[in-house]
mmCIF file of all heavy atoms in Angstrom:
data_model
loop_
_atom_site.group_PDB
_atom_site.id
_atom_site.type_symbol
_atom_site.label_atom_id
_atom_site.label_comp_id
_atom_site.label_asym_id
_atom_site.label_seq_id
_atom_site.Cartn_x
_atom_site.Cartn_y
_atom_site.Cartn_z
ATOM 1 N N MET U 526 177.833 -52.881 80.711
ATOM 2 C CA MET U 526 176.965 -53.086 79.357
ATOM 3 C C MET U 526 175.719 -53.802 79.781
ATOM 4 O O MET U 526 175.388 -54.871 79.200
ATOM 5 C CB MET U 526 177.780 -53.841 78.447
ATOM 6 C CG MET U 526 179.102 -53.140 78.113
ATOM 7 S SD MET U 526 178.962 -51.455 77.485
ATOM 8 C CE MET U 526 178.504 -51.809 75.765
ATOM 9 N N ARG U 527 174.873 -53.193 80.585
ATOM 10 C CA ARG U 527 173.671 -53.802 81.003
ATOM 11 C C ARG U 527 172.517 -53.406 79.980
ATOM 12 O O ARG U 527 172.705 -52.483 79.217
ATOM 13 C CB ARG U 527 173.288 -53.313 82.429
ATOM 14 C CG ARG U 527 174.288 -53.573 83.507
ATOM 15 C CD ARG U 527 174.522 -55.057 83.715
ATOM 16 N NE ARG U 527 173.445 -55.730 84.204
ATOM 17 C CZ ARG U 527 173.091 -55.890 85.517
ATOM 18 N NH1 ARG U 527 174.013 -55.268 86.435
ATOM 19 N NH2 ARG U 527 172.034 -56.492 85.953
ATOM 20 N N PRO U 528 171.461 -54.258 79.971
ATOM 21 C CA PRO U 528 170.372 -53.925 79.003
ATOM 22 C C PRO U 528 169.754 -52.363 79.156
ATOM 23 O O PRO U 528 169.368 -51.889 78.231
ATOM 24 C CB PRO U 528 169.336 -54.942 79.312
ATOM 25 C CG PRO U 528 170.149 -56.146 79.858
ATOM 26 C CD PRO U 528 171.236 -55.443 80.766
ATOM 27 N N ASP U 529 169.722 -51.991 80.521
ATOM 28 C CA ASP U 529 169.128 -50.707 80.683
ATOM 29 C C ASP U 529 170.141 -49.771 81.306
ATOM 30 O O ASP U 529 170.972 -50.087 82.222
ATOM 31 C CB ASP U 529 167.975 -50.853 81.672
ATOM 32 C CG ASP U 529 167.066 -49.562 81.858
ATOM 33 O OD1 ASP U 529 167.749 -48.491 81.916
ATOM 34 O OD2 ASP U 529 165.857 -49.730 81.853
ATOM 35 N N ALA U 530 170.307 -48.442 80.754
ATOM 36 C CA ALA U 530 171.201 -47.502 81.308
ATOM 37 C C ALA U 530 171.142 -47.284 82.846
ATOM 38 O O ALA U 530 172.052 -46.918 83.497
ATOM 39 C CB ALA U 530 171.096 -46.199 80.656
ATOM 40 N N HIS U 531 169.923 -47.481 83.430
ATOM 41 C CA HIS U 531 169.687 -47.339 84.802
ATOM 42 C C HIS U 531 170.502 -48.338 85.623
ATOM 43 O O HIS U 531 170.886 -47.897 86.680
ATOM 44 C CB HIS U 531 168.143 -47.434 85.192
ATOM 45 C CG HIS U 531 167.946 -47.464 86.688
ATOM 46 N ND1 HIS U 531 167.775 -48.644 87.384
ATOM 47 C CD2 HIS U 531 167.958 -46.518 87.641
ATOM 48 C CE1 HIS U 531 167.656 -48.437 88.521
ATOM 49 N NE2 HIS U 531 167.615 -47.090 88.769
ATOM 50 N N ASP U 532 170.762 -49.469 85.084
ATOM 51 C CA ASP U 532 171.469 -50.594 85.893
ATOM 52 C C ASP U 532 172.873 -50.524 85.636
ATOM 53 O O ASP U 532 173.704 -51.262 86.230
ATOM 54 C CB ASP U 532 170.862 -51.864 85.384
ATOM 55 C CG ASP U 532 169.376 -51.956 85.612
ATOM 56 O OD1 ASP U 532 168.974 -51.517 86.765
ATOM 57 O OD2 ASP U 532 168.682 -52.521 84.841
ATOM 58 N N THR U 533 173.467 -49.652 84.776
ATOM 59 C CA THR U 533 174.869 -49.660 84.337
ATOM 60 C C THR U 533 175.714 -49.299 85.624
ATOM 61 O O THR U 533 175.273 -48.419 86.491
ATOM 62 C CB THR U 533 175.141 -48.785 83.280
ATOM 63 O OG1 THR U 533 176.523 -48.906 82.798
ATOM 64 C CG2 THR U 533 174.971 -47.298 83.540
ATOM 65 N N LYS U 534 176.907 -49.978 85.737
ATOM 66 C CA LYS U 534 177.796 -49.541 86.788
ATOM 67 C C LYS U 534 179.157 -49.165 86.166
ATOM 68 O O LYS U 534 179.670 -49.847 85.381
ATOM 69 C CB LYS U 534 178.089 -50.833 87.686
ATOM 70 C CG LYS U 534 176.837 -51.358 88.478
ATOM 71 C CD LYS U 534 177.142 -52.507 89.342
ATOM 72 C CE LYS U 534 175.960 -52.992 90.068
ATOM 73 N NZ LYS U 534 176.159 -54.150 90.999
ATOM 74 N N VAL U 535 179.548 -47.946 86.526
ATOM 75 C CA VAL U 535 180.746 -47.449 86.064
ATOM 76 C C VAL U 535 181.973 -48.377 86.468
ATOM 77 O O VAL U 535 182.138 -48.631 87.647
ATOM 78 C CB VAL U 535 181.010 -46.003 86.493
ATOM 79 C CG1 VAL U 535 182.361 -45.441 86.041
ATOM 80 C CG2 VAL U 535 179.865 -45.169 86.137
ATOM 81 N N PRO U 536 182.800 -48.855 85.512
ATOM 82 C CA PRO U 536 183.941 -49.705 85.785
ATOM 83 C C PRO U 536 185.146 -48.875 86.343
ATOM 84 O O PRO U 536 186.142 -48.777 85.706
ATOM 85 C CB PRO U 536 184.257 -50.335 84.473
ATOM 86 C CG PRO U 536 183.813 -49.423 83.486
ATOM 87 C CD PRO U 536 182.647 -48.630 84.107
ATOM 88 N N GLU U 537 184.963 -48.483 87.579
ATOM 89 C CA GLU U 537 186.036 -47.469 88.087
ATOM 90 C C GLU U 537 187.407 -48.214 88.099
ATOM 91 O O GLU U 537 188.479 -47.642 87.865
ATOM 92 C CB GLU U 537 185.656 -47.090 89.500
ATOM 93 C CG GLU U 537 184.420 -46.164 89.546
ATOM 94 C CD GLU U 537 184.583 -44.799 88.922
ATOM 95 O OE1 GLU U 537 185.728 -44.565 88.379
ATOM 96 O OE2 GLU U 537 183.646 -44.019 88.899
ATOM 97 N N GLU U 538 187.430 -49.568 88.413
ATOM 98 C CA GLU U 538 188.750 -50.223 88.491
ATOM 99 C C GLU U 538 189.475 -50.185 87.070
ATOM 100 O O GLU U 538 190.586 -50.016 86.996
ATOM 101 C CB GLU U 538 188.452 -51.765 88.904
ATOM 102 C CG GLU U 538 189.740 -52.509 89.011
ATOM 103 C CD GLU U 538 189.458 -53.921 89.402
ATOM 104 O OE1 GLU U 538 188.418 -54.249 90.014
ATOM 105 O OE2 GLU U 538 190.351 -54.878 89.174
ATOM 106 N N ILE U 539 188.589 -50.411 85.999
ATOM 107 C CA ILE U 539 189.205 -50.364 84.737
ATOM 108 C C ILE U 539 189.670 -48.990 84.372
ATOM 109 O O ILE U 539 190.812 -48.871 83.824
ATOM 110 C CB ILE U 539 188.248 -50.888 83.733
ATOM 111 C CG1 ILE U 539 187.895 -52.401 83.925
ATOM 112 C CG2 ILE U 539 188.757 -50.699 82.321
ATOM 113 C CD1 ILE U 539 186.819 -52.958 82.924
#
Side-chain angles (χ1 to χ4, degrees):
M526 306 299 283
R527 304 297 293 273
D529 193 316
H531 170 262
D532 300 320
T533 187
K534 295 181 181 179
V535 178
E537 297 291 359
E538 180 181 340
I539 294 179

